[in-house]
Amino acid sequence: MAEPIGVTAGLLGIATFAFQTSKAVYKLVDSIQKAPQTIRDLKSEMLALDPVLSSIQQKVTSDATKFEDIRYPLHQCGVVCFHLRSLIQQCTTHSADGSRSARDFVKMQYKGKTIDGYKGQLASYKATIAIVLDLFTLTTSTLTVEAVDEIKRKLNDKIGQTEPDLEVHIEEITEGLHSLAIKASDISHDQQSQPDGDSSLQVLERQKRVLEEDRLALEAEKKAIEKSQQVCKTATQWLAETTPQVDPQSIHISFSGANNSGFQLGQNMGIVSNLKWGGQP
């Protein structure tokens, strides 16, 4: 895993990348002896993430086009795991027997984020992917009324818990981008004030390149969070527009409206409004 896979890669490749990097992070944290609370919490988060990524990888293998809406959150999930692995490796040292012992996990940062910061991002991406999986189940499976009610109840809970976290992430990213813009402006000003050939110009140019890399990383993160917010909005609207109709053996989903698009199950009486899968901008 020399470098993260690009977001324009095939969706199956992205899903595989996210799944494999998450496995690598779990293996790493599981090897840490006398792990502090930060690492134990991360281990729990990685355990919860595993079945979600495993499931989406299996679904994407069957039909990737239905999951284009989570391309960016899924990719960013893999990127976060990739960065987490690098951060934890920096925070650990090998003992004589090859196991790992903890150093300062709380304050250590990688690309400006702590372990807890990355863990918070992972929780949001995990929730977004889980929401999409629930929608997939509701719209492609034959279910009892009780099963549908239970999935919809849990789905509403996930959306309610996820949306505030996504809003906080957007605010943090906006602040980060603003801070980077100020720093870049200061560097440009310093460059203009230095005479040609001054050795400090090379230092300033390197600093400017680092800031640009950080800006691009934040923009990618922002895109993934915005896509996650759209998934939550789409799911909320979808739930508001669906009503179950019962027959003795199965459940059908009815929709208001006059057109048809998206996943549909059983009897169709209209539209799955705004629930478009595959190839969305």
Side-chain angles (χ1 to χ4, degrees):
M1 295 184 188
E3 291 293 336
I5 192 172
V7 71
T8 58
L11 199 58
L12 177 57
I14 291 174
T16 301
F17 162 67
F19 185 58
Q20 289 179 346
T21 51
S22 70
K23 286 284 192 183
V25 172
Y26 178 79
K27 183 178 180 180
L28 189 57
V29 297
D30 190 46
S31 71
I32 296 173
Q33 297 179 342
K34 299 178 181 179
Q37 188 64 47
T38 298
I39 293 299
R40 295 199 300 272
D41 290 344
L42 177 60
K43 183 178 178 179
S44 297
E45 185 64 39
M46 300 312 297
L47 276 173
L49 180 62
D50 182 78
V52 175
L53 291 181
S54 176
S55 181
I56 199 67
Q57 185 185 35
Q58 293 172 13
K59 299 289 192 300
V60 168
T61 300
S62 300
D63 189 350
T65 62
K66 295 179 179 178
F67 298 94
E68 277 293 330
D69 282 359
I70 58 167
R71 169 179 290 274
Y72 286 90
L74 184 58
H75 177 261
Q76 200 63 25
C77 182
V79 170
V80 168
C81 288
F82 184 90
H83 291 334
L84 260 174
R85 185 167 177 259
S86 298
L87 174 55
I88 295 168
Q89 286 175 331
Q90 289 182 14
C91 293
T92 55
T93 56
H94 284 287
S95 63
D97 62 359
S99 61
R100 295 180 181 270
S101 58
R103 286 194 325 203
D104 188 358
F105 288 96
V106 177
K107 296 180 181 179
M108 193 74 172
Q109 294 188 5
Y110 182 78
K111 293 188 177 293
K113 285 190 174 62
T114 63
I115 289 176
D116 283 340
Y118 283 123
K119 181 167 66 67
Q121 281 185 264
L122 276 183
S124 293
Y125 297 135
K126 178 192 69 182
T128 300
I129 297 167
I131 287 169
V132 168
L133 287 171
D134 283 347
L135 284 172
F136 181 85
T137 299
L138 281 170
T139 54
T140 60
S141 304
T142 301
L143 303 166
T144 65
V145 176
E146 291 78 10
V148 169
D149 287 343
E150 180 66 10
I151 293 174
K152 291 178 73 173
R153 182 187 65 78
K154 290 181 178 179
L155 186 52
N156 270 313
D157 289 344
K158 288 176 186 174
I159 295 169
Q161 294 168 5
T162 304
E163 285 185 315
D165 292 338
L166 295 175
E167 189 61 38
V168 170
H169 288 323
I170 283 291
E171 291 174 0
E172 291 173 346
I173 293 170
T174 300
E175 292 173 1
L177 288 171
H178 179 67
S179 176
L180 289 177
I182 292 175
K183 291 178 181 178
S185 178
D186 290 342
I187 289 176
S188 295
H189 181 270
D190 290 342
Q191 285 176 316
Q192 294 172 5
S193 65
Q194 300 298 323
D196 292 342
D198 192 288
S199 60
S200 63
L201 287 174
Q202 293 182 350
V203 175
L204 291 171
E205 187 60 33
R206 284 196 296 269
Q207 292 175 348
K208 197 170 184 179
R209 285 198 297 268
V210 170
L211 287 178
E212 178 61 12
E213 290 174 1
D214 290 345
R215 185 191 69 79
L216 291 174
L218 277 181
E219 291 287 0
E221 186 179 330
K222 182 180 180 182
K223 180 88 169 180
I225 296 296
E226 288 173 341
K227 287 292 185 180
S228 296
Q229 288 180 313
Q230 185 58 50
V231 165
C232 288
K233 291 177 182 177
T234 296
T236 298
Q237 185 172 356
W238 189 89
L239 288 171
E241 292 177 352
T242 62
T243 55
Q245 293 186 347
V246 185
D247 69 23
Q249 300 297 326
S250 64
I251 186 163
H252 299 284
I253 303 295
S254 300
F255 309 97
S256 62
N259 301 313
N260 299 323
S261 65
F263 285 129
Q264 295 162 12
L265 167 67
Q267 179 180 351
N268 186 344
M269 298 174 64
I271 187 172
V272 186
S273 298
N274 296 326
L275 188 60
K276 299 176 181 178
W277 296 79
Q280 287 211 143

